[in-house]
Amino acid sequence: MNSLLTIFAVFFKTSCFTLSGGLAMLPQLQRDLVEKHKFMTDDECVESIAIAQSLPGPIVYNFAVACGKKIAGYRGAFVAGVGVVIPAFLVMLLIAIAFRSLVDNIYVQKAMLGVQAAAGAVILSSAFQLGKKILKHWIEYVFMVVAFVAMILGGDVVWVLAVSALGGYLFLKFRERGAK
Amino acid sequence: MIIVLLMYMFFKLGIVGFGGGYAILSLLLSEGQRLVGFTVAEFTELTALELIAPGPIAINGATYIGYIKGGFLGAILATGAFIVAPTIFTLLAVHFVTKFKDSIIIKGLLKGIKAATIGIIAAASVTVIQSGVMVDDAFSYGFIGIFLASAVLMIKFKVDPIIITALAAVAGVIVF
């Protein structure tokens, strides 16, 4: 019981103190889980990060569920996940309620149009950052361009992702055969 | 009815939402426009407000859209529906970790998905820019100026998004 509370507290606290990007939370979490509470080894922690990043969903949430499960089974997974979600949910809800009463203000509308231009840039820059990490082989550039064009033309994300996933798999399989 | 659509949409985003934060927001924009009448203006509010909300960006997004489209109940159910699939996938992956790590199928699928995600994010940025660049049927130099300045400051000079967004809000009040 005591360890369940500690698991909840570790993830709740980290979620509270991270504005935007969850990836920034990971080093602090790693210190807390491995060094401070000795819940897991460094290797187990790195393995959880790898799992969290390769699955769909919020990365820090996945990381919390993976760590919670390793430390204390399904109950651990539950309290860790809830710990991450509660601050994000409650504070966003309060902000949404407060902001909705301002939406019709003319100055807020002007400011939001400026923010819209910046939002385009924020999103584009996150595409650049991810691209630098991920794009290595020419085939990956092909997947990227095809997905871009398909989305611009109004394609369904499910199909775009399914086709790229299949393409990636066929590419790896083909290359492995060529190597043998 | 809108609640059911919200739950369906976020459950689906939990399955296809690879790549974390902004990748998931990009999917949210295209799916939201199609399914629940989400607008670029509302998307803009979300990108500004999630910067001051703690925790994972995608959770903030589910809560925000859930709230503006379906009230308090919408916020809870959208957020809940969103984390169902990631929870199941993560538990399975931890359970079958050795098979998961070495599987060529999973490696291959992820290779394609990760590359496509970048294209999807870039397309979302085009949607956002496109819908703001024409103001009252005239090309808006102010809008494109703020966009270009923000893009250079972020990509080239690594300025924090929170600062960019605050500056852009001030610029918006002055320019428009």
Side-chain angles (χ1 to χ4, degrees), chain B residues 135-169:
Chain B
V135 176
D136 301 328
D137 283 333
F139 184 81
S140 170
Y141 290 100
F143 187 88
I144 217 71
I146 296 173
F147 165 69
L148 289 176
S150 309
V152 170
L153 285 174
M154 287 204 57
I155 296 169
K156 189 104 181 109
F157 298 101
K158 317 278 177 225
V159 179
D160 195 283
I162 298 185
I163 296 170
I164 299 280
T165 303
L167 288 177

Side-chain angles (χ1 to χ4, degrees), chain B residues 56-168:
Chain B
I57 296 173
I59 302 277
N60 298 151
T63 306
Y64 191 70
I65 300 183
Y67 177 72
I68 61 176
K69 296 298 175 195
F72 182 63
L73 190 65
I76 290 184
L77 293 178
T79 310
F82 179 47
I83 55 179
V84 169
T87 308
I88 295 171
F89 289 148
T90 304
L91 291 174
L92 285 174
V94 172
H95 198 75
F96 296 104
V97 67
T98 39
K99 279 183 193 163
F100 179 80
K101 265 198 311 195
D102 302 329
S103 159
I104 180 138
I105 300 179
I106 287 183
K107 268 187 201 151
L109 298 179
L110 284 175
K111 197 178 182 61
I113 285 173
K114 282 182 177 171
T117 298
I118 300 167
I120 293 172
I121 302 175
S125 121
V126 171
T127 309
V128 170
I129 294 308
Q130 212 176 22
S131 88
V133 82
M134 298 299 282
V135 176
D136 301 328
D137 283 333
F139 184 81
S140 170
Y141 290 100
F143 187 88
I144 217 71
I146 296 173
F147 165 69
L148 289 176
S150 309
V152 170
L153 285 174
M154 287 204 57
I155 296 169
K156 189 104 181 109
F157 298 101
K158 317 278 177 225
V159 179
D160 195 283
I162 298 185
I163 296 170
I164 299 280
T165 303
L167 288 177

Side-chain angles (χ1 to χ4, degrees), chain A residues 30-48:
Chain A
Q30 196 164 2
R31 261 195 303 279
D32 279 1
L33 293 168
V34 176
E35 285 162 31
K36 196 167 161 203
H37 297 292
K38 311 234 182 298
F39 277 140
M40 48 175 46
T41 65
D42 242 334
D43 281 351
E44 284 176 314
C45 193
V46 170
E47 189 178 272
S48 301

